[in-house]
Amino acid sequence: MKDIVERIKVKFPVAAVTFQRKDLTFITVEKKHGVEAVTYLRDVEGFTHLVILTAVDWLEEGEFQLTYLLNNPQAKQDMGVRVRIDRENAEMQTAHHLWPALVTYEQELNEMFGISFPGSPRQGVPFILDESWQGPPPYRRDFDTKQYSEDTYFPRPGRTKIDPAEHMKKKLYPEAE
Amino acid sequence: MSLKDVLMPFTAWGNLFKEPVTVKDSRNVEAAPRYRGFHVNDVDTCIGCGTCEEICQNAAIDLVEVAGRDAKEGDSGLRPMIDYGRCCWCALCVDVCTTRSLGMSNEYKWVSSDPEDFRFVPGVDEKSWNDNNKGYFKMDGYDLYSTERVEMGELHPEERDKSFVEMIQGFSKEQAQKEADRCVACGICTATCPAHMGIPQYIEAIRNDDLEEGLRILYETNPLPEICGRICTHKCETVCSLNHKGDPLSIRWLKRYIADQIPESKYKEILETENITKNGKKVAIVGAGPAGLSAAHYLALMGYEVKIFEVQEAPGGMTRYGIPEYRLPYEMIDKDVDYIKSLGVEFQFGTRVGVDVPLETLEKEFDAVFAGTGLHLGRSTRVPGSDHKRVYQAIDLLRDVSYGKEIDLAEKVVVVGGGNVAMDITRTIARLQNKKFGKVNVTATCLEAEGSMPADDEEVIEAREENATIDPGWGPQEIIVENGEIKGLKVAKCLRIFDDEGRFNPSMDMENQKVFEADMIVESIGQAMDISYTDNIKEKLTFGPRGRIQVSPDFQSNIPWLFIGGDIIQGPDVIHGIANGHKAAKGIDKFLKSK
Ligand SMILES: Cc1cc2nc3c(=O)[nH]c(=O)nc-3n(C[C@H](O)[C@H](O)[C@H](O)COP(=O)(O)OP(=O)(O)OC[C@H]3O[C@@H](n4cnc5c(N)ncnc54)[C@H](O)[C@@H]3O)c2cc1C
Ligand code: SF4
Ligand code: SF4
């Protein structure tokens, strides 16, 4: 894997490399080289299979991290290409022309993280959320799930809530005011 | 409600004549072993802390009362009820559960036509999967909160055994916030704290780095936070939810952290006590121990003029004249007391009520009296030889050390007793011997066997670290005196301490005896009270078991103007004294307002 990384480095800058396992390596490249990197790995280095495209919300750092996980079926090796993008203007070039499956991944990230992939065919088309979804993208870490469910779904009649500490006060030391 | 909401249910009618798509499951296969099905709860282990309710992002859980389970210390008696109309089977509740009582069976198929059936209390309501032990349970190797305490810095034994410098170093801001972060804010501890302190609330203040708010919360129930933050018996920690899966929260050190960060000069401003309107009434307090100080503090806040009469030369009671300085530096007592003084509370030291001032005088000059005089008479073993002049009482020696008096220290000392007071005197003697002779030779012995000594484990461990010998499980028989000099303490192996009726009645194995060599003996087997100041009004008081004066829940005696609290009523520990003093202050206020 080391030599693959060396060969990539000749082509464009690689910000970080993690040799996770013998058969698994991660590289981090700038956003503008992201699609180029996966194209190169697919066409030249034999990473012909796309395993997954996912995102991680680095809220505190104001960034999303995209990971394109690629597999080389011959060499039985995986390579993850990580790209950091701005969280405010969450946008990434589409790579759906490389693998048709990316249409679905990009659609999912669009819906769940609010990351847009201009030119990708199903951007804005509901994926697993239905048309009535009114909240912000729910996989963003600042999405307050509990608040959303409390605001959106009416409470079932007959439900009561008892606070343990208050309950113990009432039962065990009612004299305290 | 919008029109859409009204019409919404009717849109379903559109499906009325469609072919149903329900498929009958004829295979009836069981779910995978770790499948997340309906919850199970070991309701005897569950403590009703509500952490599962708190974490559930779908608000699917309510803590509810269940038949036959009452609130008790460490258990709210409530149990989680789950609404499966909301549950998404994420299992966060299972992962966070503080007791690991909550899990999920792998049963997910269950049909009922009544939607209300899908809301039940796992483990309480009869369900076919209650005994199913497949499903999802939290695995080892990860936790949603840290199960380990943030370590507290301590002086090494070599550094501490020559000096009385404070051993425990206190948290830094980072450490305090990290420790505060572990709190699940269930509030189970509050009921157990004798003063019912707002524990989760002040811990939250630490998390928010709002220590002024923290101080305000402390003072609602406890006017001695520097003292308690160091030496409280911290019963709260024994019931802390986190104790079930790891270390309990360091509640005591967190309290200390708040008080330590704020200088006393800012207290009045923060606690908004710069202007107190006086109500013209006067209360006398006998004893400047925790109980008296607490009563004085709350009475002063209510506008009473308060005067404390105290035999000793300085305030604090046993916290100053008993507890050694390496556990509680005197300036920390002063900090707590200086603030109480700044509220206008007056002190008259060197005055023994009943001798220098009769109680009757206080009755005449004040509207009410609170007595918190503590336990100051040492108890003797009364074994032969115990009347020798080199047989001392632990509390007398500790008081002398507090006064800075040189005690007539011997090179070989035996301490009789296995409680915390015994450990305090043992460790004090170790330090003094080290200073004076350059070596330690002190042995503490008690009736209780190793592992069941009344002292806290850490006290025993630390005493040993400081080179004291702790040899428990022996009953004193005789102090051997030759030519007027003490030679040692003869002991016999203690077989048991209580008889079949559970009475204190130790029995010894007389075949198994030995002598601890010593030229000085210290007895530390308990303290008694001296309430001779009540002698003239004795017949009007009612006495309960062990000669204790009976008081109402407001700590009022049968003599309406006389309120009594602290060690002579309940405890003995500082926090009971504080709680008693607070309640008595409210009781006095009630009494004087109704007069
Ligand atoms: C060695 C030792 C170690 C201890 N360690 C701890 C500990 O780690 N944690 C803990 O919580 N508790 C500890 N305690 C217990 C704790 O100190 C007491 O429970 C607490 O101080 C009781 O408060 P109080 O106000 O009831 O009585 P005290 O603190 O005893 O105060 C009573 C005051 O009244 C004064 N007084 C008595 N008679 C008269 C009179 N006639 N006229 C005027 N003044 C009078 C006394 O001089 C004294 O100052 C310890 C006790 C001892 C002896
Ligand atoms: S978190 Fe666990 S112990 Fe606490 S109430 Fe829920 S099930 Fe019971
Ligand atoms: S499994 Fe998840 S959704 Fe269901 S009750 Fe537990 S925390 Fe709530």
Side-chain angles (χ1 to χ4, degrees), chain B residues 30 67 88 162 285 343 375 411 426 484:
Chain B
E30 200 193 325
C88 71
K162 278 198 192 66
I285 288 178
L343 302 175
L375 311 173
E411 284 193 51
T426 301

Side-chain angles (χ1 to χ4, degrees), chain B residues 41 46-52 63 80 97-99 101-102:
Chain B
N41 194 9
C46 170
I47 54 168
C49 66
T51 310
C52 49
L63 273 266
C97 174
T98 55
T99 61
S101 66
L102 195 63

Side-chain angles (χ1 to χ4, degrees), chain B residues 441-504:
Chain B
N441 188 340
V442 54
T443 302
T445 184
C446 62
L447 294 169
E448 294 86 358
E450 185 83 48
S452 52
M453 287 173 65
D456 295 337
D457 290 344
E458 71 235 33
E459 285 289 326
V460 178
I461 293 166
E462 285 164 7
R464 284 179 171 147
E465 282 173 1
E466 292 158 10
N467 294 319
T469 306
I470 315 291
D471 191 348
W474 301 94
Q477 299 305 305
E478 182 192 347
I479 291 166
I480 302 166
V481 180
E482 279 172 19
N483 304 324
E485 303 273 310
I486 291 182
K487 288 291 160 208
L489 175 76
K490 187 191 274 182
V491 293
K493 192 81 208 164
C494 180
L495 296 173
R496 57 181 204 168
I497 302 174
F498 298 98
D499 63 19
D500 290 337
E501 275 86 58
R503 273 182 309 231
F504 180 77

